[in-house]
Amino acid sequence: MEFVRINSNDNNYFDDVMNIYKVSFPIFEQRIIKKSNRCLKR
């Protein structure tokens, strides 16, 4: 297994990660994509 840090939505794995995120958390606990992008940059 390889550790890959996702720091922006430009990352090749971003769509895959977001798909996992959407099925893993209820809609009312999910962040908006725009806010998620801000969190990734921290």
Side-chain angles (χ1 to χ4, degrees):
M1 182 185 283
E2 180 182 353
F3 179 81
V4 178
R5 185 172 297 273
I6 311 294
N7 291 329
S8 76
N9 59 347
D10 294 333
N11 187 291
N12 292 336
Y13 296 110
F14 182 79
D15 289 336
D16 295 329
V17 169
M18 288 310 295
N19 287 333
I20 294 169
Y21 178 77
K22 287 177 182 179
V23 298
S24 298
F25 295 96
I27 191 78
F28 59 88
E29 290 185 5
Q30 294 180 18
R31 294 176 186 254
I32 307 170
I33 298 279
K34 192 181 288 186
K35 288 184 179 180
S36 295
N37 288 338
R38 276 193 304 211
C39 290
L40 290 173
K41 293 178 183 176
R42 292 181 180 180

